[in-house]
Amino acid sequence: MTIQSGIQPQAATAFGALYAEVQQFYAHQMQLLDRGECERWAATFTEDASFAVPTLPDPVVGRAGLVAATSRSTVQLAEAGQRHRHFIGMFDVVERPDGALDVRSYAIVYASQTGGESRVHRVCVCEDVLVRVDGALQVSTRRVSRDDLA
Amino acid sequence: MTIQSGIQPQAATAFGALYAEVQQFYAHQMQLLDRGECERWAATFTEDASFAVPTLPDPVVGRAGLVAATSRSTVQLAEAGQRHRHFIGMFDVVERPDGALDVRSYAIVYASQTGGESRVHRVCVCEDVLVRVDGALQVSTRRVSRDDLA
Amino acid sequence: MTIQSGIQPQAATAFGALYAEVQQFYAHQMQLLDRGECERWAATFTEDASFAVPTLPDPVVGRAGLVAATSRSTVQLAEAGQRHRHFIGMFDVVERPDGALDVRSYAIVYASQTGGESRVHRVCVCEDVLVRVDGALQVSTRRVSRDDLA
């Protein structure tokens, strides 16, 4: 098949490998979060990562803060008999000259009540910068916005 | 379908590159739409593209018509304090002998009210023909159906 | 996990091809189900496949059983004027030494009433083992859990 676009097949192949790696990275990362594996989840961020959400005045910085925030949520959900799933996709991936990746994606959070209903909880846009540390992708900056907030 | 299985590694690699390109194309295209970038969105269709939706008696043909339709929606949503996100995925990609692509996918439209709730707005099936123009993918035909309509 | 990072380009390319093949496999498989193509859908499982869901005491085993179960659902949905769409994604793919694949994914089931509303019906986690039969992927084991059940 010589279907590749305007660009050389080699570049198309490299993009294909990168795009799959990005998708696998996010699938694994979000599944760790939803399983309450907070330490392993935080380890997918750089040591000094910055995570900004609209409901906090300042970004959370560093893994200890990330673990603390998500551990709290995990406990609260369990106590409320709820499960959250973060379904992320729609990755718009742009590679910088230095190899860092700008990734803009959509994340839908679903909430289910044990013995009750499942529903859409949040619709979010996620803007990340991914970098390579010892060969593996990590999030160095994450900025999340929510569609229900102005 | 299963064209990439049981075949030589080279063909599997080419399919991987193509599949990633298709996903990146759709992610970028839908994000343009949701940002109200109507001109740039319309430029991801061929000059004479045809776009059929169940709520119009005839397809919209050509970029000017596409810009007009989506600009109208963008204004209406802003006035209503609503945001829509088109989350597309589940791409079933079949390459034709001439290189055109038949892509059948699912698109979920989420609606969020500022200061209110987020919810599923529409569940759609999207049947596209993609072609290459100057090396880049463009939609030449799109046919959208909605699950809530007979 | 992140097995494909920090490794040789060749391995990254192979993972990219495999990941695309897995995505294409699931997109096609779920679309067959939602179209009520029960025989063709069942043919994407191995002859002796096992399919476990939380609402049945024992797994369904073998294609005849799979066809029977989904044919029943297809008829019931049509009679109720409903459509279901299975939107699967978030694939966490781990290859075993023997080439079998462990794939953990999320599947959201949307329900639409003709002339009515669309909504989230179920939020599921899908744990599969995929194997190659005559070069093509097939599901040998599927275990589905639902977030609304304890």
Side-chain angles (χ1 to χ4, degrees):
Chain A
M1 303 198 235
T2 54
I3 42 197
Q4 290 328 320
S5 37
I7 49 175
Q8 296 148 333
Q10 207 176 338
T13 298
F15 183 77
L18 180 68
Y19 202 83
E21 185 184 359
V22 166
Q23 291 179 295
Q24 167 66 32
F25 172 78
Y26 279 102
H28 187 62
Q29 185 191 52
M30 292 293 171
Q31 293 196 16
L32 287 175
L33 177 62
D34 294 335
R35 292 172 117 159
E37 298 263 16
C38 303
E39 303 273 353
R40 291 174 66 201
W41 174 76
T44 64
F45 292 78
T46 61
E47 299 267 6
D48 61 346
S50 163
F51 191 143
V53 291
T55 45
L56 290 178
D58 296 302
V60 176
V61 176
R63 289 179 181 163
L66 292 173
V67 171
T70 50
S71 299
R72 217 161 30 231
S73 301
T74 300
V75 169
Q76 287 167 350
L77 283 171
E79 288 176 352
Q82 270 198 22
R83 279 202 190 99
H84 279 188
R85 297 286 168 196
H86 292 73
F87 197 115
I88 193 164
M90 296 278 298
F91 303 105
D92 192 354
V93 178
V94 179
E95 194 171 7
R96 297 182 184 180
D98 68 356
L101 304 176
D102 288 291
V103 183
R104 189 177 191 266
S105 63
Y106 291 176
I108 315 298
V109 187
Y110 298 93
S112 300
Q113 191 72 37
T114 305
E117 301 272 305
S118 293
R119 61 184 173 79
V120 175
H121 179 55
R122 300 288 183 225
V123 176
C124 304
V125 175
C126 182
E127 292 176 288
D128 282 359
V129 180
L130 303 187
V131 296
R132 244 175 235 291
V133 179
D134 297 332
L137 294 175
Q138 293 186 349
V139 177
S140 70
T141 313
R142 172 163 295 175
R143 193 157 60 91
V144 175
S145 65
R146 266 171 44 188
D147 275 12
D148 60 309
L149 301 178
Chain B
M1 317 295 193
T2 54
I3 46 171
Q4 77 288 4
S5 355
I7 49 175
Q8 300 146 330
Q10 207 177 338
T13 299
F15 183 79
L18 180 67
Y19 202 82
E21 186 185 359
V22 166
Q23 291 179 296
Q24 167 67 35
F25 173 79
Y26 279 102
H28 187 63
Q29 184 190 53
M30 292 293 171
Q31 293 196 15
L32 287 175
L33 177 62
D34 294 335
R35 292 172 116 159
E37 298 263 16
C38 303
E39 302 274 352
R40 291 174 67 201
W41 174 77
T44 64
F45 291 79
T46 62
E47 299 267 5
D48 61 346
S50 161
F51 191 143
V53 291
T55 45
L56 290 177
D58 295 303
V60 176
V61 176
R63 289 177 181 164
L66 292 173
V67 171
T70 51
S71 299
R72 214 158 35 229
S73 302
T74 301
V75 169
Q76 288 167 348
L77 282 172
E79 287 176 351
Q82 270 198 22
R83 280 204 189 97
H84 279 188
R85 296 285 168 196
H86 293 72
F87 197 115
I88 193 164
M90 297 277 299
F91 303 104
D92 191 355
V93 178
V94 179
E95 193 175 8
R96 297 182 183 180
D98 69 356
L101 304 177
D102 288 292
V103 183
R104 189 177 191 268
S105 63
Y106 291 176
I108 315 297
V109 188
Y110 299 92
S112 301
Q113 190 71 36
T114 306
E117 301 273 305
S118 294
R119 60 183 175 79
V120 174
H121 178 57
R122 300 288 183 224
V123 176
C124 303
V125 175
C126 181
E127 291 175 288
D128 283 358
V129 180
L130 303 187
V131 296
R132 251 178 227 293
V133 180
D134 298 331
L137 294 175
Q138 292 186 350
V139 177
S140 70
T141 313
R142 172 163 294 176
R143 192 157 60 90
V144 175
S145 65
R146 265 171 46 189
D147 275 12
D148 59 310
L149 301 177
Chain C
M1 321 294 195
T2 54
I3 45 170
Q4 78 288 6
S5 0
I7 49 175
Q8 300 146 329
Q10 207 177 338
T13 300
F15 183 79
L18 180 67
Y19 202 83
E21 185 184 0
V22 166
Q23 291 179 297
Q24 167 66 34
F25 172 79
Y26 279 102
H28 187 62
Q29 185 190 52
M30 292 293 171
Q31 293 197 17
L32 288 174
L33 177 62
D34 293 336
R35 291 171 117 159
E37 298 264 15
C38 303
E39 302 273 352
R40 291 174 66 203
W41 174 77
T44 63
F45 291 78
T46 61
E47 300 268 4
D48 61 345
S50 162
F51 190 143
V53 291
T55 46
L56 290 178
D58 296 303
V60 176
V61 176
R63 289 178 181 164
L66 292 172
V67 171
T70 51
S71 299
R72 216 160 32 231
S73 302
T74 300
V75 170
Q76 287 167 348
L77 282 171
E79 287 176 352
Q82 270 199 22
R83 280 204 190 97
H84 279 188
R85 296 286 168 196
H86 293 73
F87 197 115
I88 194 164
M90 296 278 300
F91 303 105
D92 191 354
V93 178
V94 179
E95 194 171 6
R96 297 181 184 181
D98 68 356
L101 304 176
D102 288 291
V103 183
R104 189 175 190 269
S105 63
Y106 291 176
I108 315 298
V109 187
Y110 299 93
S112 300
Q113 191 72 36
T114 305
E117 301 273 304
S118 294
R119 61 184 174 79
V120 174
H121 178 56
R122 300 290 181 222
V123 176
C124 304
V125 175
C126 182
E127 291 175 289
D128 282 0
V129 180
L130 304 186
V131 296
R132 245 174 235 291
V133 179
D134 297 332
L137 294 176
Q138 292 186 350
V139 177
S140 70
T141 314
R142 172 163 293 176
R143 193 157 60 90
V144 175
S145 65
R146 266 171 46 189
D147 275 12
D148 59 309
L149 300 178

